[in-house]
Amino acid sequence: MLDPVKAFQKIPLFEGLPDTQLLDLASIAVEKSYKKGSTIFSEGDVGNGFYVVKDGRVKIFKISSEGKEQILHVFDSGEPFGEAPVFEGRKFPAHAEALVESVCIFFPRNAFFELISKNPSLAMNMLGVLSRRLRRFTALVDDLSLKEVPGRLAAYLIYLSETGHHPTELSLDVGKAQLAGMLGTIPETLSRILGRLVKLGYIKVLGPKIRIINREGLQELADGSRRL
């Protein structure tokens, strides 16, 4: 990292920290590069540190006893992952893999804890980020388990738009087959619903991207006050 202060200022986890603390973080950080499909850690590995995506995209997933993959989360640039088991002193409960060619910043557990003991504001920032993520994740779990499939898809698209860099244009963070699995449906049904959303003017599909045209309508679908 040519300028670690500028690089770390862009990470929400460290937002508002003085330059001196950012330099302390840089002194323990290790930059790691991963090719598309590379394993970052596996379920059961010792949680010896956590990561922040500098560039790229990382998926967190589990494998069922039947060999089926279930994606739990996808992290983009600036987002931390793998921090919960680090604080608990436990092993990683899932797998992490680079969805595209990615660069991650690794923070070793012991060295990070030493910094926290000297700078409690680091821990407060991390707690804030984790709390916001937990609220979003809890709401998403409710959406994906309690709604009909069109409502689940609408809720997921809204979720992606709120966590991404653009409020109306988003990229699906997984393939359609994987997304169908996350929504509890099959790819054919997902394609039909996407087609209906396009026909009714809720969204516009632009290759790998989706543009939200009628956010209010999507929200009503997500809330259950409107049906396709």
Side-chain angles (χ1 to χ4, degrees):
M1 288 174 284
L2 297 177
D3 191 338
V5 171
K6 285 187 177 179
F8 285 13
Q9 282 173 340
K10 298 177 182 178
I11 299 174
L13 194 61
F14 308 134
E15 187 177 350
L17 294 180
D19 290 357
T20 53
Q21 290 186 19
L22 295 177
L23 286 171
D24 286 340
L25 285 166
S27 70
I28 67 168
V30 180
E31 192 169 285
K32 298 186 176 186
S33 299
Y34 300 93
K35 294 181 179 179
K36 178 181 179 180
S38 297
T39 297
I40 298 172
F41 57 74
S42 298
E43 182 176 356
D45 287 351
V46 176
N48 59 350
F50 72 94
Y51 300 77
V52 172
V53 182
K54 181 181 179 186
D55 294 299
R57 179 172 285 182
V58 172
K59 70 174 179 179
I60 307 297
F61 65 99
K62 291 181 74 73
I63 302 292
S64 71
S65 56
E66 295 81 20
K68 183 180 179 181
E69 178 182 298
Q70 176 64 57
I71 296 177
L72 303 176
H73 215 302
V74 174
F75 294 107
D76 290 301
S77 298
E79 294 189 279
F81 64 96
E83 66 278 18
V86 170
F87 276 93
E88 293 175 335
R90 298 184 179 182
K91 297 178 180 179
F92 290 116
H95 306 274
E97 180 183 297
L99 275 174
V100 297
E101 188 169 333
S102 303
V103 177
C104 297
I105 304 171
F106 175 71
F107 296 90
R109 181 177 190 267
N110 292 338
F112 186 74
F113 276 14
E114 286 183 19
L115 284 185
I116 282 181
S117 65
K118 300 174 184 176
N119 305 303
S121 54
L122 274 174
M124 294 303 295
N125 268 35
M126 179 167 278
L127 284 173
V129 169
L130 292 178
S131 296
R132 291 193 295 273
R133 179 185 296 172
L134 180 60
R135 285 198 299 271
R136 291 201 307 266
F137 192 67
T138 301
L140 182 60
V141 168
D142 287 343
D143 287 336
L144 298 184
S145 60
L146 301 177
K147 302 180 187 303
E148 295 181 353
V149 177
R152 296 176 202 171
L153 176 58
Y156 191 71
L157 294 178
I158 290 171
Y159 167 78
L160 287 181
S161 72
E162 291 175 345
T163 56
H165 302 293
H166 197 287
T168 59
E169 194 165 298
L170 54 96
S171 298
L172 289 178
D173 46 19
V174 293
K176 285 187 178 179
Q178 295 170 317
L179 177 57
M182 291 174 65
L183 298 176
T185 187
I186 58 176
E188 292 79 8
T189 299
L190 176 63
S191 294
R192 283 198 300 271
I193 295 172
L194 281 170
R196 286 279 290 162
L197 291 176
V198 171
K199 186 176 180 179
L200 293 172
Y202 289 90
I203 62 172
K204 190 171 186 178
V205 178
L206 307 167
K209 295 184 180 294
I210 290 178
R211 179 175 297 161
I212 295 177
I213 306 298
N214 183 357
R215 189 180 191 86
E216 183 178 344
L218 272 186
Q219 188 64 61
E220 289 175 352
L221 279 175
D223 294 340
S225 58
R226 177 181 293 192
R227 295 187 177 187
L228 283 182

